[in-house]
Amino acid sequence: MSARIVIIGASLGGLRAAEALTGLGVAPGVITIVGAEPHPPYNRPPLSKEVLEELGGIPDALAKTAFRLKPEVAAADWRLGIPAVAADLAARTVRLADGSDLAYDALMVATGLTPRRLPFPGGDGQRFVLRTLEDAAALRRALTPDRAVVVVGGGFIGCEAAATAARLGCKVTVVEPLGAPMARAVGAAVGAALQRVHTARGVSFRTGVGVSGLLCDAEGTLTGVALTDGRELAADLLVEAIGSVANVDWLAGQGLDLSNGLLCDNHMRVQGRGDLFGIGDVARFPNPLYDAEPRRIEHWCVPGQTARRAAETVVATLNGEAPPEAPFRPLPSFWSDQHAIRLQSFGLPAIADEMEMLEGALDTPDAVTRGVAVGYRRAGRPVAVLTIALPPGRALRHRAYLDA
Ligand SMILES: Cc1cc2nc3c(=O)[nH]c(=O)nc-3n(C[C@H](O)[C@H](O)[C@H](O)COP(=O)(O)OP(=O)(O)OC[C@H]3O[C@@H](n4cnc5c(N)ncnc54)[C@H](O)[C@@H]3O)c2cc1C
């Protein structure tokens, strides 16, 4: 095949796309991978966990997180440190920040997300997000013992960052607008149980409130945050973990549906196009395992699953063949580590309308840390299972709940 395949985004999704294409027999010479970051692909999950706790600088963190490239993938044309800034979908070209244009026959988009920021000025140098190695290195330098850390947002990254900061001796408070941390992802009851686990390990919570402003002194130095209930919290530094937006600006103005990511069909083709594909965190796609609603799923497993599907469609299309007929029904899964306790989920707990205990109890921190399994149903049908503090073999056995 001599067609040109361009992958934008050189992280997990871009890497998995190159692996899938070469695995299907595509020659590395026709693949170009463009990445905004100067680094080769690295693994992000440790950035809020062990790498944040131990961070010894970027080279050290990169050594711990970089993916090993297979020779056929390393042989592709890698353009690192040069973001794509625009695309002309009619002409099938992508413009890079260095002014060069890349022509393509198939364009695979794996540009991931950028953390959202609070819409308030001030506190420069004291406000942190967690997405890149540089973000983790900057936050790690600031996490010295006894500092007052306010984490805004009690989702996965907020809770993991809070746990790590507490383990490093910081005084941590999580501000979460919902009634409990992690509630959107795992439900209110499990969220409340996780909150008790955190509280028992020194993390404080303000739930049911948001941040209404930053408190800064005359020099603009952050001293605290104002909450929507009128109270204030002292803060030496702020971790903004309030979600992310998809990196699709460079595709604007081309008539694509870019609302909440890149809208794709079940073959990971951008809707209405046969030469443009979405992969990983940036892609919003329907999964008939659940329903017809397109969703973006920010879990580590999804770039690999969607890259394989997209690569199969790319190769079939470029060979003039029909893409695979079987529907794409990937099982999403995630893990999270908080205070050295492992959460493991299979399925989509966030779409459930009821839950049931399968093992253990949620009522005390001790009960949770002895091991828990929770089943989630929607309209009576199992849609997810979540385990907390169970050894991997026992956690995996609970996956059978989804077969019922
Ligand atoms: C701190 C942290 C902890 C996590 N922990 C877990 C976990 O415990 N469990 C779990 O299941 N998942 C976890 N995740 C989620 C998981 O890491 C992501 O789902 C995964 O990284 C998504 O891969 P991706 O390639 O789609 O996007 P990304 O990893 O975001 O990669 C996108 C790449 O595209 C680049 N890019 C963006 N715009 C452009 C452009 N215009 N041109 C060129 N390149 C561009 C970006 O710089 C980036 O390198 C975590 C994520 C983070 C940030």
Side-chain angles (χ1 to χ4, degrees):
M1 185 197 295
S2 58
R4 297 149 301 180
I5 304 174
V6 172
I7 302 169
I8 307 294
S11 182
L12 183 58
L15 171 66
R16 293 290 186 252
E19 289 173 348
L21 289 167
T22 51
L24 291 167
V26 174
V30 305
I31 304 173
T32 302
I33 307 166
V34 176
E37 294 183 76
H39 313 295
Y42 61 88
N43 203 21
R44 293 185 202 279
L47 301 184
S48 48
K49 311 177 183 76
E50 63 272 20
V51 163
L52 182 61
E53 195 164 336
E54 301 158 4
L55 202 70
I58 289 176
D60 174 56
L62 190 56
K64 286 179 175 146
T65 57
F67 291 107
R68 202 177 61 76
L69 301 192
K70 295 178 182 162
E72 63 276 21
V73 170
D77 177 12
W78 290 80
R79 312 269 182 106
L80 299 178
I82 316 170
V85 290
D88 182 338
L89 301 184
R92 289 189 172 166
T93 57
V94 179
R95 167 72 45 96
L96 306 190
D98 62 3
S100 60
D101 287 316
L102 285 176
Y104 65 82
D105 297 290
L107 179 62
M108 303 174 85
V109 178
T111 46
L113 311 174
T114 296
R116 238 186 229 117
R117 308 296 302 234
L118 289 166
F120 309 116
D124 293 352
Q126 296 164 281
R127 300 171 61 168
F128 302 88
V129 292
L130 259 181
R131 186 83 198 169
T132 65
L133 279 176
E134 287 75 10
D135 293 338
L139 177 59
R140 179 62 186 89
R141 280 194 295 275
L143 291 177
T144 49
D146 292 327
R147 299 202 82 190
V149 178
V150 171
V151 178
V152 187
F156 288 104
I157 289 177
C159 283
E160 290 181 358
T164 303
R167 285 160 72 89
L168 290 167
C170 299
K171 293 179 277 188
V172 186
T173 306
V174 177
V175 178
E176 166 54 52
L178 296 182
M182 305 276 295
R184 193 172 288 113
V186 298
V190 176
L194 291 170
Q195 180 173 339
R196 288 190 284 275
V197 171
H198 277 273
T199 305
R201 287 157 181 77
V203 177
S204 304
F205 284 83
R206 297 292 174 88
T207 55
V209 291
V211 170
S212 58
L214 304 187
L215 306 173
C216 297
D217 66 16
E219 278 79 49
T221 303
L222 180 81
T223 57
V225 297
L227 302 179
T228 50
D229 64 1
R231 297 183 194 201
E232 295 180 350
L233 277 176
D236 298 315
L237 62 104
L238 203 61
V239 179
E240 297 174 58
I242 54 172
S244 303
V245 289
N247 292 322
V248 289
D249 285 2
W250 61 283
L251 286 167
Q254 310 272 329
L256 302 175
D257 182 339
L258 301 176
S259 54
N260 189 19
L262 193 53
L263 180 61
C264 297
D265 65 15
N266 188 249
H267 284 94
M268 303 315 299
R269 289 176 298 218
V270 171
Q271 294 210 331
R273 302 199 63 96
D275 55 0
L276 182 59
F277 302 82
I279 292 168
D281 279 6
V282 78
R284 188 157 62 95
F285 65 100
N287 184 344
L289 190 55
Y290 300 106
D291 50 36
E293 187 182 328
R295 293 187 181 84
R296 262 191 340 91
I297 302 176
E298 301 176 15
H299 299 337
W300 191 93
C301 66
V302 174
Q305 294 166 328
T306 51
R308 271 191 302 281
R309 178 66 163 185
E312 285 166 5
T313 312
V314 166
V315 170
T317 307
L318 294 177
N319 286 333
E321 296 160 6
E325 256 174 46
F328 176 50
R329 297 158 52 88
L331 178 68
S333 65
F334 69 75
W335 80 96
S336 175
D337 295 326
Q338 300 172 25
H339 303 286
I341 295 164
R342 165 73 44 115
L343 279 69
Q344 175 70 61
S345 159
F346 299 101
L348 277 185
I351 66 168
D353 51 31
E354 59 173 323
M355 55 158 278
E356 59 185 319
M357 293 306 300
L358 306 177
E359 179 174 344
L362 292 173
D363 49 357
T364 64
D366 259 14
V368 175
T369 55
R370 278 200 297 271
V372 167
V374 184
Y376 294 81
R377 291 178 181 266
R378 185 173 67 168
R381 198 193 129 211
V383 289
V385 63
L386 171 79
T387 64
I388 306 174
L390 286 186
R394 243 162 87 201
L396 205 57
R397 276 203 292 281
H398 280 288
R399 228 175 99 153
Y401 173 79
L402 298 175
D403 303 332

